[in-house]
Amino acid sequence: MTTKTLRARAALLASAPLLLGVLPLSIAPAHAQAVRSAPTAMPIAPSVPDAVDTPYPGTIQIDVDATDLAHRVFRTKQVIPVAPGTQTLTLLYPEWLPGHHGPDGTIDALNGLRFFVDGKPVPWTRDNVEVYAFYIALPAGAREVTAEIVYTSPVTGSEGRVVMTDDLMNLQFNQMTLYPAGHYVRQIRVKPSVTMPEGWATATALDGQTQAGNVVSFAETDYQTLVDSPIFAGKHHKSWTIADDVTIEAFAHDPEDLVMPEGEQEAMSAMMTEANILFGSRPFDHYEFLIALSDELGGIGLEHHRSTEITLSPGTFKSWEDGQYPDKYGFSVDVIPHELVHSWNGKYRRPALTWTPDYRQPMRNDLLWVYEGMTQYWDLPLAARSGINTKDMTLAEIADAAGSYTIEPGREWRALIDTTHDPITANRKPKPYTTFSRSEEYYNEGALIWLEADMMIRTETNGAKSLEDFARRFFAAQDGDYGERTYSFDQLVADLNAVYPHDWASVLRERVYTAGAPAPTRGIELGGYELVFKEEPNAFRAGIQEEYDYLNLYYSLGMSVNDDGTVRGVLWDGIAFDNDIITGQVIEAVNGKAYSAEVIQDAITKAKDGTPIELLVKRGEDYRTVSIDYTGGLRWPWLVKKGEGETLLDRFLEARR
Ligand SMILES: [Zn+2]
């Protein structure tokens, strides 16, 4: 409907309301002929050039003004040389970013676009299909284009991940810069600088950092390295060297959070030693752990080749001192070895279909169960061997993952391979029934597959060989090589066969591509442990429940409940589900007592003798009483050792240094 017909209709309504009732009868023919117009589709003509492996002519100057803390705004100026005779400059905003596993470039916050040639504004348009592409029409004789960008970073978490606060920031160049289309991003030269708020410290993996006043400049580099080298900056900063050319660069709102007791520093150093022993070589010349101890900055754990971006709860580091560690934060610290392992697995060795020449070409996620699954696997021994985490916490983490697959109905329909598409299809947003839909299972289920493979090799070779031999072979790097070497499924299988000949192709395809398999617990059993259920949460789940103020009752009543009684999640086909309890409803009372985590746990325990559990459930304005006959008691998954003595899994978690 156009505005013209709307106006005509409005006029009709205003002037002749009484006629309306009879009008259709008076004009409608007795038997209208059915008509259905049928247009032909307009083909989409590709207009953005594909990337080729040739150098972009010239070096792009990139200057970011990061001083507008008051409004959380970054302002970028880019001076982009153009080849003589260029009529249209095509610029791209990064969409498919390494490590994100989906097309989630934050283009909604890219604003204030203006382009100039010789100081005069020039017009731009956006591609009507590829909305991350911009065309800048150039006047004859143009030799460079100046671009101005205002990146309006999220002010609240509901708008996106908060990257700027009053006293620390996480600056990612992909968020506030454009790059020319048509070239591999490693072939685009850039010279970056950032103007920082007064008195702030700056940390990054970018080389050649110098500072003049508040302007921090870096050596010329390529756009790929720039995007892979984010900055953490802030008022309060502390740095620790934990190995040759490896530092922890930590930022916090409160300087008191920047305390790292000696034992913790030793564990961090030990983690690097254990990583060197495990992999045998280093695919980086230096490495910076960029860590924000913050609950204001949006959460992140993102791998880069020579650095990582991590947020941890403010008290994590200092908790080593006051004895809260690892009970309180142990569940969260494996992110540190996890992102480190990615330098080998994911950054250096990358699935050929995941590697892309720019941030426009879609990534294909088929081997994420290696990229993420094996990273998830190796972070366990690095944490336990170094002392970053306790062995108990590590066993609890494995139990928690394995346990979840014993009650996951979604396994029946959705094979692991299909969950590798989840970062694209679900875009990492919350889902109503993850036990039915499944989520990014290639992390934990992938890790359990590698546990099985490792324990099988150890068993079959009487401990002479293990997946560690595979790691040293598959991830072997020339020290300092921070490029990428890609691989296929067949090449992965070939390296496994070189360590221990077996029908790896069939085994892995069966585990990854087949729906309906039972929970992947064979690695635990081969490792000399078994998955059992106890009436108290394991250390890993207890830590998460305490930090996020909820109770996970999936293994008993089939739901998780926030400490205020609000249902947080419901197990598909579980007891709560069968009683029509869904996420967001509120459990007001249990057996006549106001809801609390203690009250419901007591009720579940008392119900073991056959007493029903009565829940008063609020749904909108309505209350109803739900009576549940459940006698199984409280249940959480644990790993317990079978028999006596050291098992393969024990040996796996033991220090090597
Ligand atoms: Zn990861």
Side-chain angles (χ1 to χ4, degrees):
M1 196 180 281
T2 65
T3 46
K4 206 170 163 188
T5 55
L6 274 171
R7 251 187 255 121
R9 207 161 164 209
L12 185 66
L13 284 166
S15 61
L18 294 174
L19 272 178
L20 274 179
V22 295
L23 193 60
L25 288 178
S26 63
I27 61 167
H31 300 287
Q33 186 74 37
V35 174
R36 185 180 174 188
S37 302
T40 300
M42 299 295 289
I44 293 172
S47 45
V48 178
D50 288 331
V52 292
D53 195 7
T54 57
Y56 184 79
T59 298
I60 300 171
Q61 178 74 36
I62 296 175
D63 300 306
V64 177
D65 182 341
T67 58
D68 191 356
L69 301 177
H71 304 105
R72 313 291 197 233
V73 166
F74 297 87
R75 290 181 178 80
T76 305
K77 184 177 153 190
Q78 285 182 249
V79 180
I80 306 160
V82 290
T86 307
Q87 295 179 336
T88 303
L89 174 65
T90 304
L91 294 176
L92 299 174
Y93 185 73
E95 179 180 10
W96 288 84
L97 291 152
H100 291 231
H101 312 320
D104 65 351
T106 50
I107 197 160
D108 54 316
L110 180 75
N111 291 301
L113 284 186
R114 299 204 300 165
F115 300 92
F116 303 87
V117 171
D118 295 328
K120 295 194 188 78
V122 289
W124 62 272
T125 53
R126 191 192 297 248
D127 192 278
N128 61 1
V129 177
E130 293 196 40
V131 295
Y132 284 68
F134 301 88
Y135 303 115
I136 293 88
L138 303 184
R143 293 309 310 273
E144 64 178 35
V145 174
T146 299
E148 288 182 4
I149 294 164
V150 180
Y151 185 72
T152 51
S153 82
V155 174
T156 68
S158 62
E159 295 168 350
R161 192 174 70 86
V162 170
V163 296
M164 191 187 249
T165 73
D166 284 341
D167 34 31
L168 56 84
M169 74 168 73
N170 172 197
L171 188 158
Q172 297 173 322
F173 286 97
N174 51 281
Q175 293 194 319
M176 56 205 69
T177 61
L178 298 166
Y179 67 100
H183 299 266
Y184 282 25
V185 285
R186 67 173 180 230
Q187 293 274 20
I188 300 169
R189 303 296 296 171
V190 294
K191 177 81 176 75
S193 84
V194 180
T195 307
M196 283 293 173
E198 181 82 36
W200 280 32
T202 303
T204 174
L206 285 173
D207 292 313
Q209 181 173 330
T210 58
Q211 189 155 354
N214 290 342
V215 180
V216 184
S217 300
F218 306 93
E220 184 178 311
T221 184
D222 58 81
Y223 192 67
Q224 179 186 336
T225 305
L226 184 77
V227 166
D228 197 40
S229 307
I231 288 175
F232 271 27
K235 257 184 211 167
H236 310 295
H237 166 242
K238 209 161 167 193
S239 176
W240 298 268
T241 299
I242 57 167
D244 287 347
D245 304 309
V246 179
T247 57
I248 290 179
E249 306 287 345
F251 296 83
H253 302 283
D254 182 345
E256 286 191 5
D257 291 330
L258 292 171
V259 172
M260 204 195 290
E262 212 168 291
E264 190 177 8
Q265 290 178 51
E266 280 164 14
M268 295 287 185
S269 291
M271 174 184 71
M272 295 308 301
T273 306
E274 292 290 352
N276 286 341
I277 293 169
L278 177 60
F279 295 114
S281 53
R282 288 200 330 189
F284 48 82
D285 51 352
H286 57 84
Y287 192 96
E288 279 79 28
F289 289 90
L290 307 175
I291 297 180
L293 297 151
S294 172
D295 43 21
E296 290 181 39
L297 199 73
I300 191 168
L302 183 61
E303 67 273 21
H304 300 286
H305 209 130
R306 302 190 296 171
S307 64
T308 172
E309 297 164 278
I310 291 172
T311 45
L312 294 171
S313 285
T316 310
F317 279 4
K318 69 178 179 193
S319 70
W320 280 66
E321 215 164 37
D322 57 26
Q324 290 184 57
Y325 193 88
D327 290 351
K328 190 158 181 202
Y329 297 114
F331 75 88
S332 64
V333 294
D334 280 15
V335 67
I336 300 171
H338 180 98
E339 304 306 347
L340 173 68
V341 169
H342 269 316
S343 188
W344 286 266
N345 184 24
K347 302 307 285 190
Y348 177 59
R349 293 308 310 267
R350 197 173 308 175
L353 297 178
T354 297
W355 187 92
T356 57
D358 61 9
Y359 311 117
R360 169 176 172 250
Q361 181 175 310
M363 293 168 185
R364 287 157 283 181
N365 286 347
D366 310 51
L367 286 169
L368 275 187
W369 53 277
V370 187
Y371 182 124
E372 290 295 358
M374 201 190 282
T375 300
Q376 194 86 340
Y377 182 59
W378 292 127
D379 77 36
L380 300 170
L382 288 191
R385 291 173 189 179
S386 65
I388 278 190
N389 232 334
T390 57
K391 181 180 170 185
D392 282 350
M393 186 63 84
T394 307
L395 291 173
E397 191 173 340
I398 299 170
D400 206 75
S404 72
Y405 295 128
T406 65
I407 55 162
E408 194 190 58
R411 297 180 63 76
E412 287 300 319
W413 76 271
R414 196 173 191 199
L416 178 61
I417 186 66
D418 197 58
T419 73
T420 65
H421 303 301
D422 225 60
I424 303 168
T425 56
N427 198 21
R428 302 196 143 165
K429 66 179 190 300
K431 301 200 264 187
Y433 298 107
T434 47
T435 49
F436 183 54
S437 66
R438 310 199 78 194
S439 183
E440 298 181 29
E441 311 305 336
Y442 52 86
Y443 282 88
N444 282 340
E445 191 169 347
L448 291 168
I449 288 171
W450 292 115
L451 176 68
E452 181 188 352
D454 194 0
M455 295 303 137
M456 199 188 83
I457 298 171
R458 288 171 203 263
T459 303
E460 297 292 321
T461 64
N462 286 320
K465 296 275 182 187
S466 72
L467 203 65
E468 295 177 46
D469 296 285
F470 165 82
R472 264 185 297 282
R473 179 189 177 91
F474 187 70
F475 298 111
Q478 191 180 329
D479 279 325
D481 178 3
Y482 66 97
E484 307 91 48
R485 280 177 53 221
T486 58
Y487 64 90
S488 64
F489 178 81
D490 289 348
Q491 287 162 333
L492 173 86
V493 164
D495 271 12
L496 282 165
N497 276 318
V499 169
Y500 175 69
H502 187 66
D503 188 4
W504 288 109
S506 302
V507 169
L508 293 174
R509 280 194 202 285
E510 167 91 25
R511 302 285 181 278
V512 174
Y513 285 85
T514 313
T521 56
R522 188 159 169 262
I524 294 168
E525 287 139 25
L526 287 171
Y529 278 73
E530 62 184 327
L531 182 70
V532 300
F533 289 85
K534 296 191 186 180
E535 290 188 71
E536 56 182 328
N538 62 55
F540 180 78
R541 186 53 56 180
I544 294 176
Q545 290 182 166
E546 191 192 327
E547 176 74 1
Y548 298 107
D549 303 318
Y550 78 99
L551 195 58
N552 182 338
L553 302 172
Y554 267 59
Y555 302 94
S556 47
L557 297 188
M559 62 180 166
S560 57
V561 188
N562 290 336
D563 288 351
D564 68 358
T566 308
V567 177
R568 184 185 179 94
V570 169
L571 170 69
W572 185 265
D573 278 346
I575 290 173
F577 182 97
D578 289 346
N579 283 281
D580 297 343
I581 295 171
I582 61 171
T583 305
Q585 294 180 4
V586 182
I587 300 175
E588 297 282 347
V590 183
N591 293 348
K593 280 189 184 164
Y595 181 88
S596 77
E598 264 176 56
V599 164
I600 197 166
Q601 289 182 91
D602 284 350
I604 293 170
T605 301
K606 286 199 185 103
K608 284 163 76 180
D609 67 7
T611 319
I613 303 164
E614 286 217 332
L615 304 178
L616 179 64
V617 182
K618 188 176 183 217
R619 178 176 190 150
E621 296 304 310
D622 300 328
Y623 290 83
R624 70 193 170 97
T625 301
V626 177
S627 182
I628 293 172
D629 290 315
Y630 168 75
T631 55
L634 290 163
R635 295 178 87 234
W636 281 277
W638 287 69
L639 289 198
V640 294
K641 196 187 292 205
K642 288 186 293 189
E644 298 292 314
E646 188 184 69
T647 71
L648 288 178
L649 191 50
D650 293 330
R651 176 80 192 112
F652 173 62
L653 299 176
E654 252 168 35
R656 297 291 188 262
R657 64 193 184 283

